[in-house]
Amino acid sequence: MALYGESRDISMFRHINRELMQDIISEQVALYKYKVTETKVNMYGEAVEGRNFIDPILLYALIDKTSTTSPVSDLGVDFIWNINFRFLRDDLVDSNIHPEVGDVLFYQNGYWEIDNTNITQFFVGKDPNYPYLDADGNNPYETDLGSFGYNVSVICDCHYVPSDRLNIQKSRL
């Protein structure tokens, strides 16, 4: 039987995380969900009139900024800036939102497109959705490992996108 990571520990951990994110760190970003079905594409799969997005949803995030690079190519100087946005999974569940590749985040007057999402940050290193069972679906160790552990956050790896490449009309958030 696991010693830590049961519902009381998780409840305290959730409370502290939410207090840190909302009251102390207080960094907000706007998430624009990409509407794949409503975006018109040509025969090459390119958006003809730009991509369509739903209205923004404000979320609290922990932001890990990297340094910018400006590589020179045949076309001139380029601009590359990657950022990691970290969201509490509970906040996303409460907002009924799931960040996916192609969605756009608005932060400090810049747009950041999600390249990858990572949902493998677990409290006490245990994912409660996957308790170890044998081939018959029984727990061979006679423990209730499904009630231990907690999926803490969703981490989004993003890159900077110039605003002229998006079909987003700026409005009040």
Side-chain angles (χ1 to χ4, degrees), residues 39-152:
T39 301
K40 296 178 184 176
V41 295
N42 61 16
M43 62 189 243
Y44 302 108
E46 300 166 339
V48 179
E49 299 170 4
R51 296 185 291 172
N52 292 321
F53 298 92
I54 64 168
D55 292 333
I57 298 166
L58 284 177
L59 297 168
Y60 290 98
L62 185 61
I63 300 161
D64 182 19
K65 302 173 188 169
T66 61
S67 60
T68 61
T69 59
S70 301
V72 178
S73 67
D74 295 339
L75 301 174
V77 178
D78 200 5
F79 178 72
I80 299 173
W81 189 6
N82 297 326
I83 287 185
N84 293 329
F85 292 92
R86 300 162 194 262
F87 302 101
L88 286 177
R89 187 175 174 277
D90 292 331
D91 290 346
L92 297 174
V93 168
D94 291 348
S95 300
N96 196 22
I97 199 83
H98 178 71
E100 297 173 306
V101 174
D103 293 344
V104 173
L105 297 165
F106 180 73
Y107 172 68
Q108 290 187 346
N109 291 325
Y111 293 97
W112 310 88
E113 185 175 355
I114 297 176
D115 295 325
N116 190 24
T117 59
N118 183 354
I119 57 169
T120 58
Q121 186 178 27
F122 302 115
F123 179 59
V124 298
K126 169 93 178 61
D127 185 359
N129 295 324
Y130 296 99
Y132 293 103
L133 304 175
D134 62 11
D136 298 326
N138 299 319
N139 189 339
Y141 304 110
E142 299 301 325
T143 60
D144 187 22
L145 291 177
S147 64
F148 290 88
Y150 165 59
N151 192 342
V152 178

